[in-house]
Amino acid sequence: MEARKILIVDDDVDLCDSLKAILEGAGYNATTATSRAEGMAKMKADQPDLLILDVMMETWHDGFEMSRELKRDQQLRQTPILMLTSVEERTGVPVKSSAGDPDWLPVDGFLDKPVEPDVLLVEIEKLLEGAQA
Amino acid sequence: MTSAVPDDSLVQRAHWLIRLRWLAALSVAASTFVCARILGIALQERALYGIAVLLLGYNAVLFVLLRHLAATPGERSVKRTINLQISADLIVLTVLLHFSGGVENPLAFFFIFHMIIASILLSVWESYLQATLAVLLFGLLAALEYSQQIAHHCLTGFVRHCQYQEGSYVLGTFFAFAVSLYLVVYMASYIAVRLRRAERAQAQANDLLRAQDRIKDEYVARLTHDIKGHLAAIQTCLAVAIGGPISGQVADFVDRAYRRTQKLTAFVRILLRLTKLKLGSSLEMTVFSLGDAAGSAIETVRKRAEDKGIHLSGTLASSTPMVRADRDAIEETIANLLLNAIKYTPARGAISIEARAEGDSALLEICDTGIGVPAAELPRIFDEFYRASNARQVERDGTGLGLSLARQLIEQHDGSISVFSTEGSGTTFRIVLPRAVARRATESVVATDRHRVSVK
C-alpha cells in the first residue's frame, strides 16, 4: 500500500521538520509548508490524506481561517484536519471543545503543543480511519 | 467626591444617623418622664412627648426614603437627605429647648453632637452652614424669649430663678455657644477631611496594585506562551533524535534532555493555565454529577495507585449531587489532587474519595494516609510556588503550582477548597461547590449545549 500523505503547516520551521521526521519514521509521506498561502497551494497540488495545522501563523487566527477555507472547498473538504496549537492559552478561547463546530472551528482533531510522538501518531491513525469509513 | 453612585459607606452612615435618632426620640420621652415625674422639675410634658413622637415619625419617613434612595443610587440625593436631616434635627432641638427652659437648659450643648455628626458626614462648608443655622436658631430663641415675643418656660425645680431676661447671662451663653459650635466643626472636620483623604489614597493604591498585578499576569502569560513555542520545537526535535540511530552515552544524554524538556513543558503549561485563569479565561459550564466526575478522575489515576500498592476507594453513590461547572476542569482538579495524594502516601497506604450533598452545596473529600502537612505550613500550601518542607523531601522539583491552580479553578466556580491534615498520619482535601438547581430533565439539554461563561 502506498504511504499516506500528510501535510504539516506551521510557521515554526524546526517544528515542521521534526514533525516531518517523526511522521516519516512512522511510515508516512510527509511534506511541510510554513505559511497559509504555501499550505493552500500544497493542499491543492498534493491532495494529502491529512492536514496538521497550526492555529497561529502570521496572525493568531490564520489557522482558523485556513480550516474554514478548506471546508468550503468541494475537493478538499473531506481531508481531516488535526489542529496543533496552544492558542487557548493565548486567547482564552476554549478551542478544544469547539473543534468540529462547522462554523467556528471546522477541524477534526485537536492537540496541544508540544505533543508526545505516540499521542500524535494515535490521533493521526484515528483520523485517517475515520476519513476512510 | 463627584461620583454618581453613593459609596456604601455614605448610605451606611445615613442609616447610622437614623439609628441614633430612634435613640434620641426615646431618650427625650424617657428623660421628660424622669425629670417631670421623679425629679419634679416643671416641664411642658405634653409638648415634649409631642416632640418625641415627631422625631419618631419623621425618622420613619427618612428610613423609608433612604431605602428608596439606596435602590436608585445618587450620591447627591443621599447627601441632600443627610443635610436635611441635620437641619431638621437642629430645628427640633431648638423647639425642645424652648419647651424646657430655653437658654437656661444646659442641654443646649447637645448641638455639639450635631456638629460632630455633620463634620463626619458632610463637606466642610456644609458643616459650617449647619453650625451657622444652629447659632441662628439658638440666637433667635434667646432673643424671642428675652423680648417676650414667645413664652419662656422656666425650669422651676432645676434653677432657682429665671435668667432669660438677664442680658449679660443671655449674651454670655450665646457667645460661648457660638464659639463652641464653630470650634467643634473646625476640629472635627479637620480630622474627617484627613481621614477621608487617607481613605481615598488607600483605595487608589489598591486599584493601582490590582492594575499592576494584571500587567504582571499578562506579562507572564505572554512570556510563558513564547517559551512554550520554543519548548515545543525543542521537545519534538529531541523526540526525533531519540527515535534515531544513537546509542550509548549520547542516547542517555538526549534522553535526559528530553525528560527535562517534558518537565519544563509541564511547568510552563500549569503556569500558563493559572495565569490565564487569573486573567479571566472562559469556563465551559455544563450540569453533571460530581460523583461521575470523581469516578472518571479515579480511573485516570488508578494505575498509578496500583503500581504503588495504594488502596483507592470511592463512595460515589449515583445520587451524588449535580453541579454546574466546567467538567474537564473539575475532573482535572480531582485527578491532580488524587495524584498528589498518591505521591505523598507511602506504599500500601489508602486513599478514599467521597462525594455527597450537604444543603445547597456539593461536597467532595479526598482523604489519604500520607505524610501530611506540618501544621505551621498548612495555611500556605495553596500559595503559588509554595511547597511544604516534607513534600520537598519526597519530590525535589515539583512546580508548587498544582494546589494554586486547584484553588483558582474551584474559586472561579464560586466554590471553595480547604485542607485538614495531621503531619505523619494523613491529609484531607475538601472541595465545596454550589449545587446545580435540580431540573434534570431540562438541564440535560443545556448540558449538551455549549454554554460559555466568562469568568472575571
Side-chain angles (χ1 to χ4, degrees):
Chain A
M1 195 177 103
E2 201 187 330
R4 301 296 209 97
K5 281 185 287 185
I6 296 177
L7 173 63
I8 306 156
V9 182
D10 194 315
D11 64 341
D12 186 329
V13 181
D14 295 330
L15 195 71
C16 270
D17 290 347
S18 48
L19 282 174
K20 181 173 187 285
I22 289 171
L23 296 183
E24 282 173 350
Y28 294 106
N29 175 1
T31 45
T32 63
T34 53
S35 72
R36 182 177 161 191
E38 192 192 347
M40 281 308 288
K42 288 200 173 164
M43 277 300 287
K44 286 178 181 146
D46 302 347
Q47 308 245 330
D49 300 293
L50 181 121
L51 170 66
I52 294 177
L53 182 60
D54 177 33
V55 96
M56 276 191 280
M57 283 178 277
E58 285 85 16
T59 67
W60 73 269
H61 47 80
D62 253 7
F64 284 156
E65 277 163 18
M66 184 167 165
S67 65
R68 287 180 202 142
E69 193 181 336
L70 285 170
K71 293 298 169 181
R72 283 196 300 268
D73 188 302
Q74 285 305 320
Q75 280 200 303
L76 301 173
R77 65 189 307 166
Q78 302 304 327
T79 315
I81 303 174
L82 172 58
M83 192 157 258
L84 214 58
T85 185
S86 46
V87 69
E88 187 164 358
E89 289 132 11
R90 184 68 174 274
T91 60
V93 178
V95 192
K96 201 164 148 192
S97 56
S98 312
D101 180 332
D103 296 324
W104 165 235
L105 186 56
V107 302
D108 306 275
F110 174 94
L111 286 173
D112 187 26
K113 281 201 291 199
V115 55
E116 300 287 330
D118 320 353
V119 178
L120 177 69
L121 294 174
V122 167
E123 184 72 15
I124 287 173
E125 205 49 49
K126 202 176 86 190
L127 289 179
L128 285 174
E129 271 171 32
Q132 247 170 4
Chain B
M1 286 196 275
T2 48
S3 106
V5 182
D7 56 305
D8 279 348
S9 60
L10 194 65
V11 177
Q12 272 167 17
R13 286 166 189 174
H15 274 294
W16 169 64
L17 196 52
I18 286 176
R19 280 198 301 277
L20 281 179
R21 199 174 293 104
W22 296 124
L23 197 67
L26 294 176
S27 310
V28 167
S31 44
T32 302
F33 180 81
V34 171
C35 290
R37 297 296 156 119
I38 298 172
L39 301 176
I41 300 169
L43 281 179
Q44 302 294 312
E45 282 180 71
R46 213 180 290 165
L48 293 176
Y49 286 129
I51 288 169
V53 172
L54 178 72
L55 268 175
L56 287 175
Y58 85 73
N59 208 28
V61 173
L62 284 170
F63 181 73
V64 174
L65 192 71
L66 198 64
R67 285 212 151 168
H68 177 73
L69 280 179
T72 51
E75 180 168 296
R76 248 196 229 159
S77 46
V78 176
K79 272 208 156 175
R80 204 184 305 139
T81 53
I82 293 179
N83 255 314
L84 268 175
Q85 287 182 58
I86 294 177
S87 299
D89 289 339
L90 295 177
I91 294 169
V92 171
L93 183 56
T94 311
V95 175
L96 185 86
L97 282 183
H98 167 63
F99 286 108
S100 57
V103 284
E104 289 160 16
N105 188 340
L107 298 187
F109 283 94
F110 268 40
F111 277 104
I112 282 175
F113 300 143
H114 295 79
M115 295 305 110
I116 294 172
I117 291 170
S119 305
I120 295 170
L121 299 185
L122 303 174
S123 67
V124 178
W125 69 270
E126 284 170 320
S127 311
Y128 277 116
L129 271 183
Q130 295 286 2
T132 306
L133 176 66
V135 169
L136 285 176
L137 285 168
F138 188 74
L140 188 69
L141 176 70
L144 288 176
E145 291 193 5
Y146 177 79
S147 59
Q148 292 186 312
Q149 308 219 17
I150 56 172
H152 174 75
H153 304 285
C154 214
L155 283 180
T156 316
F158 178 69
V159 290
R160 199 155 297 171
H161 43 82
C162 294
Q163 292 172 301
Y164 71 101
Q165 281 193 306
E166 286 171 29
S168 57
Y169 174 82
V170 173
L171 266 178
T173 307
F174 175 73
F175 180 75
F177 178 84
V179 170
S180 307
L181 254 51
Y182 284 118
L183 270 178
V184 162
V185 169
Y186 171 74
M187 289 174 189
S189 46
Y190 181 86
I191 297 167
V193 163
R194 256 147 201 81
L195 279 179
R196 254 176 258 161
R197 213 176 283 161
E199 231 170 59
R200 220 173 311 153
Q202 196 175 7
Q204 274 168 357
N206 283 342
D207 285 348
L208 193 69
L209 212 58
R210 261 194 296 274
Q212 285 183 336
D213 201 42
R214 198 178 163 82
I215 291 171
K216 184 233 18 175
D217 283 340
E218 271 160 8
Y219 173 77
V220 171
R222 170 93 218 187
L223 193 70
T224 16
H225 180 268
D226 290 349
I227 291 175
K228 191 164 166 252
H230 296 300
L231 269 177
I234 295 170
Q235 198 177 318
T236 321
C237 288
L238 285 173
V240 177
I242 288 173
I246 50 166
S247 59
Q249 207 183 27
V250 175
D252 178 42
F253 280 121
V254 171
D255 198 47
R256 284 192 211 185
Y258 185 71
R259 268 184 280 129
R260 291 302 281 263
T261 317
Q262 277 179 317
K263 282 214 161 173
L264 188 54
T265 304
F267 171 71
V268 162
R269 259 194 189 129
I270 189 168
L271 183 60
L272 208 44
R273 229 9 238 296
L274 184 63
T275 313
K276 274 289 154 192
L277 274 174
K278 287 202 283 189
L279 284 170
S281 75
S282 310
L283 295 174
E284 291 185 44
M285 308 298 262
T286 56
V287 173
F288 59 90
S289 149
L290 189 57
D292 289 352
S296 314
I298 288 175
E299 286 320 306
T300 61
V301 305
R302 189 175 291 285
K303 174 125 194 344
R304 201 77 80 85
E306 281 167 1
D307 288 350
K308 212 174 160 184
I310 290 174
H311 180 71
L312 191 60
S313 64
T315 312
L316 309 164
S318 56
S319 61
T320 54
M322 303 293 283
V323 291
R324 175 189 290 282
D326 185 316
R327 181 159 183 159
D328 284 351
I330 297 295
E331 268 186 37
E332 186 193 330
T333 305
I334 300 171
N336 283 336
L337 288 174
L338 286 171
L339 284 175
N340 247 6
I342 294 168
K343 198 189 296 175
Y344 299 116
T345 299
R348 284 177 299 284
I351 297 170
S352 66
I353 177 164
E354 184 191 356
R356 63 173 191 273
E358 210 173 88
D360 288 340
S361 300
L363 240 73
L364 186 95
E365 278 183 354
I366 298 169
C367 298
D368 66 47
T369 58
I371 59 172
V373 184
E377 300 183 50
L378 211 50
R380 293 197 58 197
I381 67 161
F382 291 106
D383 291 356
E384 278 164 48
F385 302 109
Y386 188 82
R387 298 194 66 221
S389 50
N390 55 351
R392 283 197 293 267
Q393 284 162 14
V394 172
E395 191 195 40
R396 198 177 57 89
D397 48 0
T399 62
L401 290 174
L403 290 178
S404 314
L405 181 64
R407 181 172 65 177
Q408 187 74 30
L409 264 170
I410 297 298
E411 286 181 354
Q412 292 205 340
H413 283 89
D414 293 326
S416 65
I417 181 167
S418 46
V419 61
F420 312 89
S421 183
T422 309
E423 192 178 0
S425 64
T427 306
T428 297
F429 281 95
R430 178 187 291 163
I431 294 174
V432 181
L433 287 169
R435 277 176 79 177
V437 192
R439 283 173 301 167
R440 303 246 173 100
T442 49
E443 290 288 12
S444 61
V445 180
V446 180
T448 53
D449 211 19
R450 234 195 350 270
H451 189 77
R452 290 207 187 91
V453 174
S454 183
V455 179
K456 291 270 170 282

